[in-house]
Amino acid sequence: MGLNEVAFYVLSAGAIIFALLTITRKSAVVSALMLVLTFCFLAAIYLTLSAQFLAVVQVAVYAGAIMVLVLFVIMLLNLESEDIHITRNWKAMAGILAVLGVLAQILAVIYLSDDRLPKAISANAAALGTTEGIGRTLYTAYSFPFEMASLILISAAVGAIILAKKKLT
Amino acid sequence: MAPLSHYLAVSAILFAIGTVGVLIRRNAIIVFMCVELMLNAVNLTLIAFSQFLGDQTGQILVFFVMTVAAAEAAVGLAIIIALFRNKQTVDVAKVNILKW
């Protein structure tokens, strides 16, 4: 069992534990901080797959930008903690049972098709995940979607400002 | 190196946790964060397949998913602020104006 493998199992356990804490904490601020930790663990899991560029983007965009935005909104709204009553709510119970059923199905499919999945990480995986590798593909084969992404971001920024403005005129 | 199936299993578990969060929580901001968690679980599947198959397309797709997630976060949080301004609550059970 190599270091990479040990790291993967430890990081996965961490990500799952903090994800569970995210959905069970009463306070929205604590939930958000647990989600930041989940995202950091996921970034480290990306590193075990030698996807360095996306690991850095994960920390910068998700754990950084998006979660700071969420924390700002939580502080802005000054919310009280929410009580979670799962056992008294039959709809939530039915939902959880359905989710567990689907999860069992997905895990069964993964287990049954295990011998058809690729056995080992591809030989040039380290070259694919670097900034150079991603950048080369992004600016050649995917240059048009890349420019469209900037259009999405600018329209989202304008839309967010209009939605959050005090008076709609 | 851990086998691909273990990466997929972790991703499926994280996705299920996110879905449960969407179903049991009533605070709109926490529901929103659970959706982000589900997006991240899918990203893990894409990156794992991309690196095991030696095909970069999956990682490019993750890059665009992150871009759209950033846009979605900005618009989603603006909607939550507008909702709070109109109803003084972000409890999704109390927002039922379109329900009959």
Side-chain angles (χ1 to χ4, degrees):
Chain A
M1 201 144 142
L3 186 63
N4 190 317
E5 206 172 346
V6 177
F8 167 71
Y9 291 116
V10 172
L11 293 167
S12 307
I16 290 170
I17 288 168
F18 282 114
L20 282 172
L21 285 174
T22 304
I23 67 164
T24 49
R25 293 304 93 184
K26 283 179 183 174
S27 154
V29 177
V30 178
S31 264
L33 293 176
M34 293 298 147
L35 193 60
V36 170
L37 282 174
T38 312
F39 287 164
C40 290
F41 275 97
L42 270 171
I45 293 177
Y46 295 169
L47 279 181
T48 68
L49 283 163
S50 46
Q52 300 106 319
F53 174 71
L54 286 171
V56 172
V57 172
Q58 168 86 4
V59 173
V61 173
Y62 264 114
I66 293 182
M67 291 319 290
V68 166
L69 209 61
V70 169
L71 281 169
F72 261 110
V73 171
I74 293 172
M75 285 194 292
L76 209 63
L77 301 186
N78 190 22
L79 301 169
E80 70 278 20
S81 294
E82 153 199 6
D83 286 326
I84 313 168
H85 302 295
I86 307 169
T87 43
R88 278 184 240 160
N89 186 346
W90 69 268
K91 277 181 190 165
M93 284 304 279
I96 291 171
L97 286 179
V99 169
L100 288 180
V102 172
L103 176 64
Q105 226 169 17
I106 296 174
L107 291 178
V109 167
I110 293 170
Y111 177 73
L112 292 176
S113 58
D114 198 20
D115 51 337
R116 271 176 291 170
L117 292 174
K119 292 287 172 295
I121 195 159
S122 124
N124 57 348
L128 291 182
T130 57
T131 311
E132 188 195 350
I134 300 273
R136 209 176 280 282
T137 317
L138 201 60
Y139 287 115
T140 53
Y142 294 90
S143 55
F144 181 69
F146 182 72
E147 296 302 331
M148 285 302 106
S150 65
L151 211 63
I152 290 179
L153 283 174
I154 191 75
S155 49
V158 173
I161 291 168
I162 290 177
L163 275 171
K165 230 172 38 169
K166 238 192 177 87
K167 282 261 187 216
L168 286 173
T169 47
Chain B
M1 192 73 206
L4 176 56
S5 53
H6 292 192
Y7 282 96
L8 298 182
V10 170
S11 169
I13 292 168
L14 284 176
F15 190 87
I17 292 173
T19 318
V20 169
V22 170
L23 290 172
I24 66 170
R25 298 307 296 257
R26 286 178 294 118
N27 185 335
I29 295 179
I30 294 177
V31 170
F32 176 82
M33 292 196 294
C34 291
V35 173
E36 298 287 334
L37 183 59
M38 289 159 78
L39 278 172
N40 269 275
V42 175
N43 282 352
L44 178 57
T45 299
L46 283 169
I47 294 180
F49 264 119
S50 166
Q51 292 292 46
F52 274 81
L53 294 171
D55 183 344
Q56 214 170 21
T57 315
Q59 291 183 61
I60 302 287
L61 190 53
V62 169
F63 182 78
F64 286 121
V65 167
M66 283 176 176
T67 316
V68 175
E72 175 239 334
V75 175
L77 289 169
I79 291 175
I80 291 174
I81 289 177
L83 178 70
F84 187 78
R85 184 169 288 142
N86 283 322
K87 303 201 71 136
Q88 266 67 43
T89 179
V90 288
D91 188 334
V92 289
K94 288 183 186 143
V95 183
N96 51 7
I97 197 164
L98 285 178
K99 211 168 161 186
W100 58 280

